[in-house]
Amino acid sequence: MKEARAQRTVLITAAESDGSVETREIEPYSLRPGKQGAEQRLFGWCMTRNAIRSWSISNIQKSEPTGNDFSPRWPIEF
């Protein structure tokens, strides 16, 4: 992901586990396989929740760059 390597945040719109759809600004860090062969998950720092979060790729409906820089909290794996 180009934005992650450039240390810029991304807005993602994704379905949450309760069925709601949320748009959040995140610091993207990695794409990893889910548990026991489940689909890949995007891991990032959620600015809204002020916590590390992950999203199933199929739940992400839209992503767009913000142009906002961030200082990495962990190594970026993209």
Side-chain angles (χ1 to χ4, degrees):
M1 178 182 268
K2 179 175 78 172
E3 296 302 305
R5 287 189 299 270
Q7 299 178 5
R8 288 190 292 258
T9 63
V10 176
L11 282 178
I12 62 164
T13 301
E16 299 288 325
S17 58
D18 66 1
S20 65
V21 175
E22 300 281 340
T23 298
R24 300 183 187 272
E25 183 175 3
I26 69 162
E27 299 171 2
Y29 285 96
S30 67
L31 262 181
R32 294 185 178 187
K35 294 179 182 175
Q36 300 176 354
E39 70 178 311
Q40 285 191 317
R41 297 186 67 83
L42 169 65
F43 284 80
W45 182 263
C46 176
M47 310 294 273
T48 304
R49 296 237 175 134
N50 202 30
I52 192 77
R53 296 282 313 277
S54 69
W55 296 266
S56 292
I57 294 300
S58 65
N59 289 349
I60 299 173
Q61 300 170 357
K62 180 177 154 182
S63 67
E64 57 187 294
T66 65
N68 298 332
D69 296 330
F70 69 90
S71 295
R73 301 162 196 269
W74 303 278
I76 296 171
E77 298 177 1
F78 286 100

